[in-house]
Amino acid sequence: MAHFPEVYFLRHGQTKWNFEGRFQGQMDSPLTALGRRQAEDQGQLLRALIADWRAVDVWVSPLGRTRETAEIALRDVPVAPKIVPELAEISVGGWEGVRRGEIEELEPRFANPSQRERFEGYFNSPGGESYDAFSARIRPVLETLQRPTVIVAHGIVGRVLRGLWLGLERGQLAGLLGGQGCIFHLKDGREEVLWPS
């Protein structure tokens, strides 16, 4: 397993499309009131955990929902975030903006999928990114890390990035926990899930 620096991975807060059950991919929708509270909670928890922000980098996906989360969570932090295009969420092609129920009508195999089938479905969307292309975009992000880093990004980005950091096989990634507004702490070869208070 490769040794990467410590990471605090923040998944963005709940968005309008999350609430409506729409696939977002690289399209965007704003945070809901709950999503903004989740970002506030993330910031409060991070400020309690990180004593010296001069020793930490902050990398953020370029999409609006992650930038909004970072602006709220890191409001009083003396570090300028770096926008990292490779951290944008997976493209799900023709499914972007479409409600999950509509996709299940078009693709009945997704109506009652297992956790693994649901995860793999993201890599089989019409016109979207394959797993190989997506992981080839995410791996160099990890390889570029030089010191402890706070990363604010997305659900599928998080599962793949955390899985690569932990040295997991592709088939194990679906089993990683998710959830909007969570913080995942990666250090010393292990992951700790930090839920906002």
Side-chain angles (χ1 to χ4, degrees):
M1 178 175 78
H3 179 73
F4 299 113
E6 178 180 14
V7 169
Y8 291 91
F9 185 92
L10 283 64
R11 185 178 176 197
H12 63 79
Q14 184 194 64
T15 68
K16 181 181 177 187
W17 280 10
N18 289 144
F19 179 76
E20 294 175 353
R22 293 182 187 272
F23 277 71
Q24 291 185 114
Q26 295 187 356
M27 293 180 74
D28 235 332
S29 69
L31 297 183
T32 62
L34 172 60
R36 291 189 294 276
R37 283 195 305 275
Q38 290 169 331
E40 292 277 1
D41 288 346
Q42 288 175 321
Q44 187 175 30
L45 185 55
L46 277 181
R47 286 188 291 278
L49 292 170
I50 298 174
D52 183 5
W53 283 90
R54 293 168 300 176
V56 176
D57 290 325
V58 177
W59 292 3
V60 180
S61 155
L63 299 181
R65 59 195 184 268
T66 46
R67 292 173 78 151
E68 187 178 1
T69 298
E71 285 170 14
I72 295 168
L74 305 173
R75 183 177 294 132
D76 301 319
V77 169
V79 178
K82 175 182 175 183
I83 302 302
V84 180
E86 293 80 8
L87 289 172
E89 181 62 298
I90 185 173
S91 168
V92 289
W95 289 352
E96 293 187 359
V98 179
R99 289 182 190 272
R100 188 174 302 278
E102 296 173 64
I103 293 168
E104 290 170 0
E105 287 180 16
L106 296 170
E107 295 280 349
R109 64 193 171 116
F110 296 129
N112 293 299
S114 68
Q115 193 172 9
R116 181 162 194 243
E117 289 168 325
R118 184 180 309 247
F119 175 75
E120 288 295 332
Y122 282 92
F123 304 107
N124 293 289
S125 60
E129 285 181 272
S130 67
Y131 176 81
D132 289 342
F134 185 70
S135 61
R137 169 159 69 85
I138 299 301
R139 179 172 280 286
V141 172
L142 284 175
E143 293 169 347
T144 307
L145 297 177
Q146 298 295 312
R147 60 189 193 151
T149 305
V150 173
I151 296 176
V152 185
H154 309 270
I156 301 302
V157 171
R159 278 194 168 89
V160 173
L161 184 144
R162 290 157 47 217
L164 292 170
W165 193 100
L166 292 164
L168 302 180
E169 298 293 325
R170 176 176 175 175
Q172 298 173 288
L173 303 184
L176 292 173
L177 291 176
Q180 290 124 16
C182 293
I183 301 176
F184 303 92
H185 185 208
L186 301 160
K187 184 179 180 181
D188 298 329
R190 295 181 295 114
E191 175 179 77
E192 181 181 4
V193 182
L194 307 176
W195 298 92
S197 57

